[in-house]
Amino acid sequence: MSVAHTSTVDTPAGPFTAIVAPDGAVLASGWTADIALLTPQIHASLMPSEITSKRDLGDVTKAVVAYHEGDLTSIDSVEVRQKSGPFMQHAWDVLRTVRAGEPVTYTEYAELSGRPAAVRAAASACARNSVALFVPCHRVIRIGGNLGGFRWGLDVKRWLLAHEG
């Protein structure tokens, strides 16, 4: 049984909440103040027995604040933990290599993930990403520059891409 911690930070894109494992790895995060919107995204094998609120999550909170203040690489070294099959795990690792200010299309993302024909699977990896911001699914867009979808809303995705641009 493990006790995870959660905290919400006000950002220019809206409230941002993270749920962090006892060892500091982010289990779920996104632009919401409601952890009930985050917990369903945590894989059952990673689900903590309890989640308690803290004012500050240390390095995670520092990284979130620094990112929103303009240090776009502050999120890169934050440990994350999410679980799925081999392709999804690999695709999430690949997402962490997409650099701020250099968004890729879903087709390019599928190619980077080693399965050029698996555009829908790549899009599914974005949709099932439980640790938004730290695994930057917002950096994947449609061909022609259309934003595509984003769990936290297109206004947030638009803000993030402009912030990184």
Side-chain angles (χ1 to χ4, degrees):
M1 291 198 193
S2 64
V3 177
H5 298 285
T6 185
S7 183
T8 301
V9 176
D10 287 326
T11 77
F16 183 86
T17 300
I19 299 173
V20 177
D23 67 357
V26 178
L27 300 174
S29 57
W31 286 267
T32 180
D34 184 356
I35 70 163
L37 294 176
L38 295 173
T39 53
Q41 305 308 316
I42 301 172
H43 191 274
S45 68
L46 302 174
M47 185 62 73
S49 56
E50 186 181 342
I51 301 172
T52 62
S53 186
K54 274 179 108 171
R55 198 174 66 74
D56 187 293
L57 298 173
D59 290 342
V60 172
T61 299
K62 285 181 189 131
V64 171
V65 170
Y67 170 86
H68 287 88
E69 288 178 348
D71 179 359
L72 304 179
T73 62
S74 67
I75 58 172
D76 296 347
S77 62
V78 172
E79 186 183 349
V80 298
R81 189 168 301 127
Q82 50 185 342
K83 194 169 184 179
S84 189
F87 175 75
M88 210 62 82
Q89 292 285 155
H90 174 68
W92 290 327
D93 290 342
V94 167
L95 258 180
R96 294 198 88 177
T97 69
V98 176
R99 293 159 53 129
E102 300 175 16
V104 297
T105 65
Y106 288 97
T107 302
E108 292 167 331
Y109 176 42
E111 291 168 1
L112 290 170
S113 297
R115 291 185 44 197
V119 177
R120 284 182 187 241
S124 180
C126 289
R128 292 182 51 202
N129 173 29
S130 65
V131 288
L133 184 61
F134 305 103
V135 174
C137 54
H138 64 274
R139 295 178 185 160
V140 183
I141 58 175
R142 289 185 176 156
I143 292 174
N146 203 334
L147 293 182
F150 191 57
R151 175 179 293 132
W152 307 109
L154 293 182
D155 287 343
V156 173
K157 186 171 184 172
R158 192 174 294 109
W159 186 91
L160 293 168
L161 291 171
H163 178 61
E164 294 180 350

